[in-house]
Amino acid sequence: MPSIPVNFMGETYKSKKAFCNYIREIIYDIGICDSVKVNYPKYYNILCELFKFHIDYNNKTNGMIDIKIQNNAMDSGLETIIIKELPKNDIDISWYSCANLRFKNEINNFNDSLRSCISPQIIHFKCNNSDKCEICNEVKSEMHVDHIIQFEELKEKFLKICIEDNIRIPKEFSELTDGSNRPCFKSEDSEFSEKWYEYHEKNAKLRILCKNCNLTRSKYKH
């Protein structure tokens, strides 16, 4: 698949990866900083434009007066924090997700939110089952939890139930606050997320596969 150029502030980057690398260079050029606005005003304007790619931009930036950069909670990299008029309202915003244009694709946001919702079930299954691949019977460095009834089929059948029962299907998304910044459903869509969690728990059939067996499996045909 050919790379898709990214246009940003009058400049064109040959791919999403090139754009992400450009933003990463800015973040690490600034380094740990209590006030990007004061110390790096040019970069401050760039980051303000970057954050417009965020799925929850209006809520995240409401009352913003500055940006600071600090080590993340896992001490594995730098994170951006929006400083607000009231310090207690300061909030993190993922520069990496914005730079990867993660929130630009509504379909991906929806699918990722579905997976975020049922991640406790996936983690529980993986922790309580053998690490041996059920297809090749080997144990490899990277093992996946696979849906025997494919995820897309489960999703398709669940959405039909939602339409029949007049359950509102989410169109807007938030992000998890566990450090992963993965898309997730908003609190106002709790009915949908709870129904999906229950449906998946009842109907999903899971198994452990190695990465190769999982990724070479035939895709679900609608």
Side-chain angles (χ1 to χ4, degrees):
M1 181 180 295
S3 298
I4 300 175
V6 177
N7 296 311
F8 179 73
M9 296 184 70
E11 299 289 336
T12 300
Y13 302 86
K14 63 180 182 180
S15 65
K16 186 172 67 173
K17 181 178 180 180
F19 177 61
C20 187
N21 287 339
Y22 163 69
I23 298 297
R24 179 182 286 104
E25 288 176 3
I26 288 175
I27 295 296
Y28 283 86
D29 187 31
I30 297 171
I32 296 174
C33 179
D34 288 333
S35 174
V36 177
K37 187 175 184 179
V38 170
N39 296 298
Y40 299 89
K42 180 180 178 180
Y43 286 162
Y44 177 78
N45 292 331
I46 292 173
L47 293 179
C48 286
E49 288 299 311
L50 173 73
F51 294 157
K52 291 179 181 179
F53 291 143
H54 198 279
I55 191 171
D56 201 19
Y57 170 75
N58 290 331
N59 179 55
K60 290 275 189 179
T61 60
N62 183 36
M64 182 176 77
I65 59 173
D66 206 340
I67 300 167
K68 69 178 178 181
I69 298 178
Q70 63 187 29
N71 285 322
N72 62 28
M74 296 177 287
D75 200 28
S76 59
L78 298 178
E79 66 177 1
T80 41
I81 304 293
I82 289 179
I83 301 175
K84 299 202 175 187
E85 295 167 331
L86 295 176
K88 67 178 182 180
N89 293 335
D90 290 356
I91 191 169
D92 70 298
I93 184 167
S94 175
W95 66 266
Y96 182 78
S97 294
C98 293
N100 272 282
L101 310 180
R102 179 182 292 176
F103 305 117
K104 298 281 284 180
N105 188 320
E106 185 175 294
I107 295 176
N108 286 348
N109 289 332
F110 183 71
N111 287 340
D112 286 347
S113 295
L114 288 172
R115 292 186 182 277
S116 296
C117 181
I118 51 90
S119 61
Q121 296 175 27
I122 303 300
I123 293 170
H124 181 267
F125 182 85
K126 189 169 187 178
C127 291
N128 289 277
N129 285 273
S130 169
D131 286 337
K132 183 179 291 186
C133 176
E134 290 192 23
I135 292 179
C136 68
N137 291 317
E138 293 186 16
V139 177
K140 298 184 179 179
S141 59
E142 187 173 349
M143 306 299 289
H144 295 179
V145 176
D146 175 58
H147 287 80
I148 297 174
I149 301 174
Q150 293 193 15
F151 186 84
E152 285 295 318
E153 182 177 354
L154 287 170
K155 179 184 78 172
E156 188 176 280
K157 290 179 178 178
F158 174 70
L159 291 179
K160 287 180 180 179
I161 294 173
C162 289
I163 293 170
E164 292 170 357
D165 293 346
N166 200 30
I167 297 173
R168 186 169 71 91
I169 298 173
K171 298 292 185 183
E172 297 181 350
F173 310 91
S174 186
E175 64 178 2
L176 293 174
T177 57
D178 61 357
S180 68
N181 300 112
R182 291 173 295 163
C184 65
F185 297 118
K186 291 188 171 185
S187 57
E188 54 261 41
D189 292 311
S190 59
E191 179 185 15
F192 178 90
S193 60
E194 289 169 5
K195 294 285 187 184
W196 164 243
Y197 190 93
E198 293 169 0
Y199 180 86
H200 184 274
E201 190 170 43
K202 181 179 179 180
N203 295 280
K205 299 183 185 302
L206 305 175
R207 62 181 174 179
I208 299 294
L209 296 183
C210 68
K211 179 180 178 180
N212 182 64
C213 288
N214 187 28
L215 297 182
T216 55
R217 184 185 177 192
S218 298
K219 300 298 183 183
Y220 171 64
K221 295 181 180 180
H222 299 267

